[in-house]
Amino acid sequence: MKKTLFIFSNDFGELVLLRLLMYNQSFSAIALMPEQMMKYITLPNVEKFSYQNADDLKRYIDDIMPTQILFFSAYILATNNLITTPEFYSLMDYLDKKKIEISTSDPFIRYYDHMDFDLQAKDFLSNARNAFITISERLSGYRHLYPLPASLGSTPHRSFSNHFKKKTKEHIYKGKQWTFVMAMHDYQLLQFESGLTYHKKIIPLFSSLVKDYNIMVNLVFPEELHKILEKELMDVPDINYISYCSLDAFEDLIIQSDVMIYWNLFSASTLLCRLYNKPTVFLKQGHMETIFPGFFKYSKSFWFPENEPVILDINDHFIPDVLKRIKAEEAITNDTALFQPYFDLDTPSAVLNKQRVSQ
């Protein structure tokens, strides 16, 4: 096994990729990540160290002497202000000089290679879009890793999957559970678009689920939204507020839930929902489409090769519609052909041991 070093940004979704590569594998690796991310990953075969700046990264690289480095993700190290853009370019030059093999995850699926941007356009997202274009040019020659089927052009790439599931634990709560997941980016956009009133739309939904349907509600939300909801729903029992938790605990939550509900089609944890054949409901396309217009149309064949995702509105029919969807999906939950595109991908060992790429 090649000596492997992972370098992480501060994006929780990237930890899903680490889980898919390293869970229940016989080999080990080392991971460098920001201090606040350390507690969210608990894989026994991954040794963790924290970094604060580009100098820390270079020092660890010199000490570890890895054969290969996997960035999760190289695209957002600089755009998330973990290191500066010049430091990022310098780091990549440094690794090239040391002849260390480089791979990166790509949360944007090379979208910027196929979409035209107006580099003169000025809006609150234009700087981010333009930064990704520039960075993508620097990264275009390195291998890109995808935890789903992806058919791209000349960029070196490889898809992978991990079929191992956690052993199901006995449920502490014996009733039905619905889990809602909202990222900070989506919360901020939803509140902005609604004049800071979006929370008022979802309060009746949570109350009805508990009081009218006897369903426990798990809310994996930003702390700011929890504070609002805890005050408004203080008299409603069986609502579980989860700001952040380890990926291991979140996977347990997926296993125990009857349905997972997202405001973002491209949340990385939906890959775990597919692993466990969990019904998944979407309420919005999500912040990726807002930042990168046309992203959904471009990437839906990669993310959803088996069917078109359904986006439901929160209205008087929402809960009955979801109950019907759960019942329908339970009827085909053992149809492995539905998820065959993922089962046919390369194994973690194949990805980490070889540099062979597909074109």
Side-chain angles (χ1 to χ4, degrees):
M1 171 61 66
K2 295 178 180 179
K3 191 171 186 179
T4 301
L5 173 65
F6 294 97
I7 297 180
F8 282 84
S9 72
N10 55 5
D11 189 286
F12 187 87
E14 302 295 344
L15 298 181
V16 174
L17 275 67
L18 181 66
R19 183 267 182 231
L20 291 174
L21 271 176
M22 297 300 297
Y23 180 74
N24 202 31
Q25 301 299 306
S26 59
F27 46 82
S28 60
I30 301 171
L32 303 180
M33 55 186 63
E35 178 66 34
Q36 67 270 20
M37 299 294 287
M38 296 275 284
K39 60 186 176 182
Y40 299 135
I41 199 73
T42 56
L43 292 166
N45 56 344
V46 177
E47 187 177 8
K48 303 174 294 182
F49 299 95
S50 65
Y51 73 88
Q52 295 183 345
N53 50 49
D55 288 338
D56 284 347
L57 291 175
K58 288 184 178 180
R59 186 180 70 255
Y60 276 119
I61 290 167
D62 286 342
D63 289 343
I64 295 168
M65 295 291 290
T67 307
Q68 64 177 338
I69 290 180
L70 278 67
F71 286 93
F72 281 0
S73 169
Y75 285 91
I76 51 183
L77 273 177
T79 51
N80 280 1
N81 298 315
L82 293 168
I83 62 178
T84 68
T85 301
E87 286 174 337
F88 171 71
Y89 291 137
S90 175
L91 177 62
M92 302 306 288
D93 292 340
Y94 179 74
L95 297 178
D96 286 341
K97 186 177 181 179
K98 294 178 74 69
K99 300 186 183 304
I100 296 175
E101 295 177 6
I102 297 173
S103 299
T104 180
S105 66
D106 177 14
F108 313 104
I109 316 184
R110 303 302 300 175
Y111 161 88
Y112 19 70
D113 289 344
H114 303 270
M115 304 296 290
D116 293 327
F117 291 94
D118 180 1
L119 295 178
Q120 305 304 316
K122 298 297 180 184
D123 60 47
F124 75 109
L125 298 171
S126 59
N127 288 339
R129 286 196 298 267
N130 295 341
F132 288 130
I133 294 174
T134 303
I135 289 173
S136 74
E137 294 174 356
R138 179 64 178 84
L139 297 176
S140 62
Y142 300 120
R143 184 177 67 163
H144 286 55
L145 300 179
Y146 300 100
L148 40 76
S151 300
L152 300 171
S154 60
T155 302
H157 62 279
R158 194 159 188 177
S159 298
F160 68 91
S161 66
N162 184 339
H163 309 159
F164 287 108
K165 302 178 182 179
K166 293 183 64 176
K167 293 183 178 179
T168 304
K169 297 179 179 179
E170 183 179 355
H171 294 190
I172 298 176
Y173 182 78
K174 299 299 184 181
K176 298 290 186 180
Q177 295 188 55
W178 287 21
T179 297
F180 295 78
V181 182
M182 184 189 295
M184 175 61 78
H185 290 309
D186 291 303
Y187 170 63
Q188 291 172 338
L189 287 170
L190 289 166
Q191 284 290 76
F192 174 78
E193 292 169 356
S194 65
L196 304 180
T197 62
Y198 186 80
H199 60 277
K200 295 182 179 180
K201 184 174 184 178
I202 55 180
I203 287 172
L205 168 62
F206 302 147
S207 179
S208 180
L209 281 169
V210 174
K211 294 182 176 180
D212 301 330
Y213 292 87
N214 196 31
I215 294 174
M216 171 176 273
V217 175
N218 301 311
L219 303 180
V220 186
F221 286 174
E223 185 64 33
E224 292 90 326
L225 181 53
H226 279 165
K227 290 179 180 178
I228 296 173
L229 297 178
E230 285 175 332
K231 181 178 180 180
E232 296 291 334
L233 296 168
M234 61 187 309
D235 296 327
V236 180
D238 290 333
I239 295 184
N240 185 21
Y241 299 94
I242 306 167
S243 293
Y244 294 100
C245 61
S246 71
L247 186 58
D248 185 58
F250 187 76
E251 190 166 345
D252 285 336
L253 196 61
I254 292 174
I255 294 170
Q256 295 170 15
S257 298
D258 295 278
V259 62
M260 298 291 295
I261 303 174
Y262 292 83
W263 277 261
N264 177 24
L265 289 172
F266 306 103
S267 292
S269 63
T270 60
L271 300 173
L272 296 178
C273 297
R274 296 173 190 181
L275 179 66
Y276 292 100
N277 293 349
K278 288 293 178 176
T280 309
V281 170
F282 299 101
L283 304 180
K284 294 285 184 180
Q285 288 187 344
H287 63 273
M288 290 294 289
E289 178 67 23
T290 302
I291 298 173
F292 300 102
F295 182 79
F296 170 65
K297 182 178 180 181
Y298 166 67
S299 60
K300 66 180 180 180
S301 63
F302 304 142
W303 270 91
F304 305 99
E306 70 279 356
N307 54 37
E308 182 88 8
V310 176
I311 298 177
L312 298 180
D313 290 326
I314 297 178
N315 52 37
D316 292 341
H317 305 289
F318 177 77
I319 297 176
D321 285 347
V322 175
L323 289 171
K324 291 178 183 177
R325 183 176 177 84
I326 293 173
K327 186 175 182 179
E329 292 204 19
E330 284 178 345
I332 60 172
T333 188
N334 294 320
D335 182 7
T336 57
L338 184 65
F339 301 93
Q340 198 61 42
Y342 301 95
F343 298 156
D344 288 340
L345 299 179
D346 286 334
T347 65
S349 179
V351 169
L352 293 183
N353 270 324
K354 299 178 182 178
Q355 190 66 11
R356 179 181 60 83
V357 297
S358 57
Q359 299 290 339

